Amino acid sequence: MDVEFEAGPPAALRRRLTILTGIPALLATLVGTLGPIFLEVPRLTDLIFVGGVWLLLSWTLGHRDGYRLSAEGIRRSGRVWTRTYDWADFDEFEASDDAMVLHRSGPWPALRFSLSDVEEPDAVREAVAEYLPER
């Protein structure tokens, strides 16, 4: 069964990304912009660039990806790249009411996405259960 959907990171991960990337980026940008007005520190305006890069990182990591589950594997289409994972790359999965985690073999990080963003979460669970055992 082929299933296509869009989903972002789970809510807890999205909050961590916002705290770890968005808030420091905003602070760096503000200090780089307003700092030279009040302080005479050389190269303080370089923080504007640092803040912009941080914001770009936040934008890239915290968005919704497109997923396609098929017999060939999992196709994940993001803002920057598209990648297809074979089912053999994964050991198992776990799903709750609001999130799904696909555990990868070896040292690779797991794929995590929010099921609360998906219109038909049961279809996603069934499609993954065809290929992977549940934890």
Side-chain angles (χ1 to χ4, degrees):
M1 166 187 345
D2 288 1
V3 177
E4 289 189 44
F5 60 96
E6 283 190 6
L13 181 58
R14 199 175 303 143
R15 274 192 303 277
R16 282 194 305 259
L17 287 172
T18 300
I19 291 169
L20 293 175
T21 60
I23 293 172
L26 180 63
L27 290 175
T29 304
L30 284 174
V31 170
T33 305
L34 300 176
I37 296 171
F38 302 106
L39 303 169
E40 292 193 26
V41 178
R43 302 185 57 93
L44 193 59
T45 55
D46 289 349
L47 286 177
I48 296 171
F49 175 75
V50 172
V53 170
W54 234 326
L55 284 172
L56 182 63
L57 177 67
S58 176
W59 173 78
T60 304
L61 294 176
H63 77 288
R64 295 166 57 94
D65 286 337
Y67 293 89
R68 177 180 165 84
L69 310 177
S70 65
E72 290 80 37
I74 302 169
R75 183 172 173 261
R76 182 180 185 184
S77 304
R79 286 187 177 159
V80 179
W81 60 85
T82 297
R83 179 164 180 201
T84 301
Y85 302 93
D86 292 330
W87 289 110
D89 295 342
F90 298 93
D91 289 332
E92 59 193 5
F93 79 97
E94 57 183 308
S96 64
D97 291 339
D98 60 342
M100 180 173 277
V101 180
L102 305 174
H103 296 280
R104 295 174 67 186
S105 308
W108 306 109
L111 280 178
R112 303 169 193 275
F113 52 87
S114 174
L115 287 176
S116 58
D117 295 342
V118 178
E119 290 180 20
E120 297 181 29
D122 293 332
V124 173
R125 282 188 190 95
E126 289 173 18
V128 172
E130 277 186 49
Y131 304 102
L132 296 175
E134 189 166 2
R135 182 182 258 189

